[in-house]
Amino acid sequence: MADYKVNEVFESIQGEGAFTGVPSIFVRLQGCPVGCSWCDTKHTWTVDPEKQKSVEAVMAEQQESEHWFLLTPAQLISLFANKGYKAKHVILTGGEPCMYDLMPLTNALIEQGYSVQIETSGTFEVKAHAETWVTVSPKVNMQGGYEVLQQPLRIAKEIKHPVAMQKHIDELDQLLARGHHQSGVLVYLQPISQQKRATQLAVDTCIARNWRLSLQTHKFIGIE
């Protein structure tokens, strides 16, 4: 059975994209080489063996850290039950979750009646159950030097693109011009850091293209 390096697990409300407002269990996996400058989870980038701790120790932490624990899919599902989580939607995020083979984990979750969403940069192949909702937030020209791959775009149900300036819109146009995405894929623009200029650009572009606006609702209402 596969083991996964987990940075944190918590229950909250999804604040972004198509599932905004849906009660969700977030599973944040450790490790990401993409290197987005605006990333708000940089503590998940490095997998340091010295930072491994017990499940109990990491779950008891009250602030973000580089600590992680190792769990199998069955152990993770048991953790949900032990914590008394009620949500039936699980979001696999990171870090970059697709650094891992997510087929065993997504299979186990779906067999237990959960719906599953993956949030990925699109720079690694997605290995997951066919019913998984794949959200690609394409990261173009990041310091890690990784390219956005065709396979994640092809299976994505949702493309959620962070924008701060026009060049980010242009980058998305170039990705979509490749034609590797599904015809009915939902396209969201998400202003980086809720900047006023970025937000107006996103609003104007969404109206012009008939795309959708994604705001980080959880940050507005002060939840994790």
Side-chain angles (χ1 to χ4, degrees), residues 8-107:
E8 64 176 337
V9 179
F10 61 95
E11 188 176 46
S12 187
I13 298 291
Q14 170 63 296
E16 305 176 3
F19 287 93
T20 295
V22 175
S24 304
I25 301 169
F26 291 78
V27 179
R28 190 178 303 284
L29 301 181
Q30 188 75 15
C32 182
V34 180
C36 305
S37 60
W38 63 81
C39 177
D40 55 6
T41 57
K42 291 183 179 180
H43 59 284
T44 66
W45 285 9
T46 303
V47 180
D48 183 348
E50 295 185 359
K51 300 292 185 180
Q52 183 177 359
K53 287 192 171 186
S54 68
V55 178
E56 294 76 16
V58 176
M59 292 295 290
E61 292 181 341
Q62 300 299 311
Q63 58 186 14
E64 296 176 346
S65 79
E66 297 178 83
H67 297 138
W68 55 273
F69 55 88
L70 204 62
L71 283 188
T72 66
Q75 290 170 333
L76 187 62
I77 292 169
S78 293
L79 177 62
F80 296 169
N82 292 339
K83 298 296 289 185
Y85 293 156
K86 302 300 183 184
K88 298 299 290 182
H89 183 66
V90 176
I91 300 170
L92 304 178
T93 185
E96 173 47 70
C98 292
M99 289 176 60
Y100 299 89
D101 180 353
L102 298 174
M103 191 68 76
L105 179 53
T106 55
N107 285 349

Side-chain angles (χ1 to χ4, degrees), residues 67-214:
H67 297 138
W68 55 273
F69 55 88
L70 204 62
L71 283 188
T72 66
Q75 290 170 333
L76 187 62
I77 292 169
S78 293
L79 177 62
F80 296 169
N82 292 339
K83 298 296 289 185
Y85 293 156
K86 302 300 183 184
K88 298 299 290 182
H89 183 66
V90 176
I91 300 170
L92 304 178
T93 185
E96 173 47 70
C98 292
M99 289 176 60
Y100 299 89
D101 180 353
L102 298 174
M103 191 68 76
L105 179 53
T106 55
N107 285 349
L109 289 168
I110 288 171
E111 286 172 4
Q112 290 299 311
Y114 292 95
S115 60
V116 183
Q117 177 182 6
I118 294 172
E119 296 182 337
T120 176
S121 63
T123 57
F124 287 81
E125 183 176 346
V126 179
K127 300 176 182 178
H129 190 287
E131 294 179 12
T132 303
W133 180 280
V134 177
T135 298
V136 175
S137 183
K139 302 303 189 295
V140 182
N141 297 325
M142 297 296 116
Q143 64 186 32
Y146 286 79
E147 295 289 330
V148 176
L149 304 180
Q150 296 179 15
Q151 188 263 359
L153 288 173
R154 187 171 64 249
I155 66 172
K157 302 282 180 53
E158 173 183 17
I159 296 174
K160 178 163 58 68
H161 193 56
V163 296
M165 57 190 73
Q166 182 60 43
K167 77 170 186 176
H168 298 133
I169 305 294
D170 296 339
E171 289 168 350
L172 178 57
D173 283 339
Q174 291 171 12
L175 284 177
L176 296 177
R178 296 179 187 175
H180 299 304
H181 56 285
Q182 298 182 51
S183 59
V185 67
L186 302 177
V187 179
Y188 285 83
L189 297 184
Q190 183 162 293
I192 295 173
S193 301
Q194 317 297 340
Q195 299 170 8
K196 183 175 181 179
R197 180 179 176 184
T199 300
Q200 190 61 55
L201 172 63
V203 168
D204 292 343
T205 306
C206 286
I207 292 172
R209 309 287 186 85
N210 200 28
W211 289 347
R212 302 185 180 194
L213 184 70
S214 173

